[in-house]
Amino acid sequence: MKERVPRSFALALLASATLGVVIIPSRGHYRPDSMVLVFAALGVVLWLLVDFLRARRTEVATEKVERIVLAVLAVFIASAIIDSKLLVDVESSWWTLRCLSFIELSLLATYLRAPSPEGSRWPTIRFALFGTCLFLAGIATVRLSPSPHIDVWTVQTYGARALLEGKNPFVAVSVVDTAPGVVRDDVPYVYPPLQVLLTAPGLLLGDVRATMGAALLLIGIALRDLTLRSGRKLPALLCDAPALVVWLTPKLLFIFQQTWVDPVQIALICSGTALAVRRRIWPAAVVFGLVLASKQTMFWVAPLVFVSFPAFRLRHALVAASIPVATYLPFALWNWPALLHANLGFVAGLPARPDALSFVNWARLALGVHVPYAIAFPLAGALVGYVLLRRRAQPDIFGIALLLTYFVFFTLNKWTFANYYFSLLGMAALGAAMALHRAPISERSPS
């Protein structure tokens, strides 16, 4: 019998690819053509939701999935090669990036060859070469754009510099807001303390984006580890597919250039999942605790983790909960009002962005309907509640449950931009990798 994979694996890969395409036309800002792509992504996510809710799962032939994945990744690379707006605010030519894309295209073509014999090191070498291309592209991007014109880079750079100088970043940082039409110069260090602790070493290496670059590499490594540990005999391309759909997404270098922190959260989530699959529960609990400490929006991760993995117990939950406390406490003792203002008061007081690529803005601009942003909370909570009540101890659905929850939560958000769609495509890739951990139909006991 030919090898087959869960349909949810294919759908999650398709969702990841579609979410990556969403941000190509407008780089994540509101435009009608970009909203068409968001609705396309919604269609794939709804298809995935139906598959998620079904009691019996469907499997598809690997050959069909392999052909589609190969075509999508080839289009991704070609898109990056021809994209005249791959990066922003860069006047010099990025021939180095295009050369690296041609190398990636050549590596992709090697999947068309006959499968490597069992025990061959070539699949691992090839994957490492893809990672090397990403590493070199990151270096080239920093050289092309040493000081990107976005407050995200300025806030993180000033925050890391303040910490290295022995200053409190939540007190010392106050930068200009670069949002369109906004005039203010009082933007504080809006990220949790963990982020400044992670980017300070990056600044010592020359740029805070070194941290985000390392996170991007870690995402791919963790995703490939998850597919290899699924126990399925898969073609090399499908083993690498969840990682490559992230590494080759057309606007990845734009995400990296702009210094958004989201690669850190996705890297931690993927790493924690890989540790949990390896049954390294205590380290996994620590890493998932870091996830909770990494960004204010990551609170939905906690219930989904502890309901999906049967090995997690209350003691592991307590360890995970202690990590955010441990990262926040020193800065709270240092200056509690400044920390509270920067991480909660200032962020909560920011107005909704009319240029956000969200369903709320679409409803307002296209239909004249004003949808309250608060609706994101009960809808996302309903999905989490369903998982808590009905899907106990099913690790294979963790990534998909995460994607569904945050798709609702982010696309109804006040500030839905390219970084949010990057997070979603990363969660979809994780969903694909974890879908492989469901036992094949032929191995399940009859119901």
Side-chain angles (χ1 to χ4, degrees), residues 298-369:
M298 288 294 104
F299 55 87
W300 293 119
V301 175
L304 292 175
V305 167
F306 287 97
V307 77
S308 298
F309 296 99
F312 281 99
R313 297 287 187 268
L314 177 60
R315 58 184 181 274
H316 303 116
L318 293 174
V319 168
S322 70
I323 303 300
V325 174
T327 58
Y328 270 98
L329 186 59
F331 293 91
L333 295 174
W334 200 346
N335 192 318
W336 167 246
L339 176 63
L340 184 65
H341 167 70
N343 268 205
L344 185 60
F346 180 85
V347 175
L350 288 173
R353 287 279 296 270
D355 57 339
L357 188 59
S358 68
F359 288 118
V360 174
N361 276 349
W362 173 81
R364 178 176 57 83
L365 295 170
L367 305 178
V369 176

Side-chain angles (χ1 to χ4, degrees), residues 167-186:
K167 301 175 183 177
N168 187 336
F170 298 102
V171 175
V173 173
S174 185
V175 306
V176 174
D177 194 326
T178 57
V182 178
V183 180
R184 64 188 308 168
D185 59 359
D186 61 344

Side-chain angles (χ1 to χ4, degrees), residues 24 74-87 94-95 97-102 104-105 250-251:
I24 293 178
V75 170
F76 273 10
I77 298 172
S79 174
I81 292 172
I82 66 175
D83 190 354
S84 61
K85 297 181 180 180
L86 184 66
L87 304 176
W94 48 66
W95 64 267
L97 299 181
R98 289 194 170 97
C99 287
L100 290 169
S101 291
F102 279 112
E104 290 172 337
L105 196 59
K251 285 297 184 182

Side-chain angles (χ1 to χ4, degrees), residues 25-203:
S26 62
R27 294 193 296 269
H29 291 80
Y30 186 88
R31 261 179 30 183
D33 54 352
S34 292
M35 277 308 305
V36 171
L37 295 171
V38 175
F39 273 100
L42 173 63
V44 179
V45 170
L46 288 176
W47 191 2
L48 189 59
L49 174 62
V50 171
D51 191 78
F52 176 76
L53 295 175
R54 284 168 60 92
R56 300 180 66 86
R57 306 295 179 84
T58 304
E59 295 189 341
V60 294
T62 57
E63 295 90 339
K64 183 185 295 186
V65 179
E66 200 174 7
R67 288 194 297 269
I68 295 173
V69 168
L70 189 66
V72 167
L73 294 179
V75 170
F76 273 10
I77 298 172
S79 174
I81 292 172
I82 66 175
D83 190 354
S84 61
K85 297 181 180 180
L86 184 66
L87 304 176
V88 294
D89 302 322
V90 176
E91 296 181 0
S92 57
S93 171
W94 48 66
W95 64 267
T96 304
L97 299 181
R98 289 194 170 97
C99 287
L100 290 169
S101 291
F102 279 112
I103 293 173
E104 290 172 337
L105 196 59
S106 301
L107 289 172
L108 189 65
T110 64
Y111 288 106
L112 295 170
R113 296 169 50 188
S116 302
E118 191 170 347
S120 171
R121 294 184 179 179
W122 168 239
T124 301
I125 293 171
R126 174 174 49 204
F127 185 76
L129 289 173
F130 273 113
T132 301
C133 287
L134 177 59
F135 175 78
L136 295 175
I139 293 175
T141 299
V142 171
R143 289 179 176 176
L144 286 166
S145 179
S147 302
H149 302 301
I150 184 170
D151 50 21
V152 177
W153 179 82
T154 310
V155 162
Q156 293 202 69
T157 300
Y158 286 14
R161 185 177 299 156
L163 185 66
L164 292 172
E165 292 174 352
K167 301 175 183 177
N168 187 336
F170 298 102
V171 175
V173 173
S174 185
V175 306
V176 174
D177 194 326
T178 57
V182 178
V183 180
R184 64 188 308 168
D185 59 359
D186 61 344
V187 178
Y189 191 87
V190 294
Y191 301 107
L194 178 64
Q195 185 64 22
V196 75
L197 296 174
L198 293 175
T199 51
L203 186 61

